[in-house]
Amino acid sequence: MIATQFSALPFLNNWRTKIIYFVLNPLINMALLVLIDMQYANSFNWSIVAASIAIDTTTLTMQTMNDLLVEDASLRIDFEMIAKKPFSFRYWMSKCITSAIIGTILAIINLVLALCFGTPLYLILRVVILLPLLCLTGIIFGFTAWAISWQMNDPYFLANFFSAIIQLVAGILVVITAYPMWLKSIALIFPFASPVTFIKTGSANLIASIIITLIWLLVGLIAYVIQIRPVLTKGKHRF
């Protein structure tokens, strides 16, 4: 079952796309953030490196979860699953495990590279400690993005939106307490800032981050239940 999920991910089809997704994209994101920070701080900040890896881990986990579900929708596997067993433990667990493995692989590869280039070990360990939370957050946001966008013409809409704003609302470069009130308010409805703060300082309100993540899961579940009703009652689905 898990092997089937991996085969459905296009970026695992060849070594070039694997390098792009697992190495080049994270390195480019990391380099841009570090360079921007250096313009203002006039020093190299290793915590930016670690925080960037953490957020990239969540982002790829989210994208993987979303991609797997959208792929099933394009093949009408979702229709069959919903009609027979919409809360199948085996079905959903296979998606979650696959997404978590992908995110973990990205984290391990880039943490090893970061350590080789001189990132302090304590920052590496902080990311490792957060790895289960980072992957769980990515899985939940991937599911929620899919559940809300499922009947849209662009089923990737919300996942792409989350991917575009995640670095901003996480406060990688600037702590969100320094944001203008309107932007701070937006950032606080997402759970990404506390893990970044923990990586930078060693302490943060991770419980609040978990609670916010669970609220997003509830939003996704509500959207899912609403979306599947026509399928269960009338057998209708747009795909």
Side-chain angles (χ1 to χ4, degrees):
M1 190 71 174
I2 301 297
T4 303
Q5 302 305 313
F6 283 119
S7 65
L9 296 171
F11 61 85
L12 296 181
N13 288 342
N14 59 72
W15 64 269
R16 294 182 183 86
T17 51
K18 290 176 184 176
I19 291 176
I20 290 172
Y21 274 81
F22 290 111
V23 181
L24 290 183
N25 283 347
L27 285 178
I28 291 171
N29 289 336
M30 185 192 310
L32 288 174
L33 290 170
V34 168
L35 290 174
I36 293 172
D37 181 72
M38 287 180 66
Q39 284 187 332
Y40 297 95
N42 294 319
S43 62
F44 193 96
N45 191 342
W46 287 109
S47 66
I48 299 295
V49 172
S52 176
I53 293 172
I55 292 302
D56 283 338
T57 297
T58 298
T59 302
L60 187 59
T61 303
M62 176 187 69
Q63 291 173 340
T64 301
M65 185 71 174
N66 188 259
D67 287 351
L68 290 172
L69 294 170
V70 172
E71 177 66 16
D72 280 2
S74 67
L75 298 173
R76 296 183 65 85
I77 295 173
D78 63 332
F79 184 90
E80 181 179 353
M81 180 272 297
I82 290 169
K84 293 181 178 179
K85 198 172 183 181
F87 296 97
S88 169
F89 177 82
R90 184 182 179 188
Y91 176 86
W92 291 107
M93 188 54 63
S94 67
K95 306 294 183 188
C96 293
I97 292 174
T98 303
S99 301
I101 290 174
I102 293 296
T104 301
I105 291 173
L106 181 143
I108 291 173
I109 290 173
N110 288 278
L111 287 174
V112 170
L113 290 174
L115 185 62
C116 291
F117 280 102
T119 304
L121 182 59
Y122 71 88
L123 290 174
I124 302 294
L125 293 177
R126 287 176 185 173
V127 179
V128 172
I129 291 171
L130 289 176
L131 197 52
L133 177 59
L134 297 172
C135 290
L136 177 63
T137 302
I139 289 168
I140 289 174
F141 270 79
F143 165 74
T144 300
W146 168 81
I148 295 174
S149 305
W150 187 34
Q151 298 284 0
M152 294 182 181
N153 292 328
D154 180 9
Y156 294 100
F157 170 76
L158 201 54
N160 289 337
F161 173 75
F162 287 152
S163 298
I165 69 168
I166 187 170
Q167 291 184 351
L168 177 64
V169 297
I172 294 180
L173 292 177
V174 181
V175 292
I176 63 172
T177 53
Y179 283 0
M181 186 55 64
W182 67 271
L183 186 54
K184 180 181 177 181
S185 300
I186 294 174
L188 288 176
I189 68 175
F190 293 95
F192 309 119
S194 291
V196 169
T197 301
F198 178 81
I199 291 170
K200 289 183 174 181
T201 67
S203 63
N205 190 359
L206 295 177
I207 298 299
S209 180
I210 294 172
I211 292 173
I212 295 171
T213 301
L214 293 177
I215 291 173
W216 277 99
L217 174 60
L218 180 61
V219 171
L221 288 172
I222 292 172
Y224 178 63
V225 170
I226 292 173
Q227 296 267 38
I228 67 175
R229 281 181 179 176
V231 179
L232 295 175
T233 58
K234 301 179 182 179
K236 292 184 178 180
H237 190 276
R238 290 179 62 181
F239 291 127

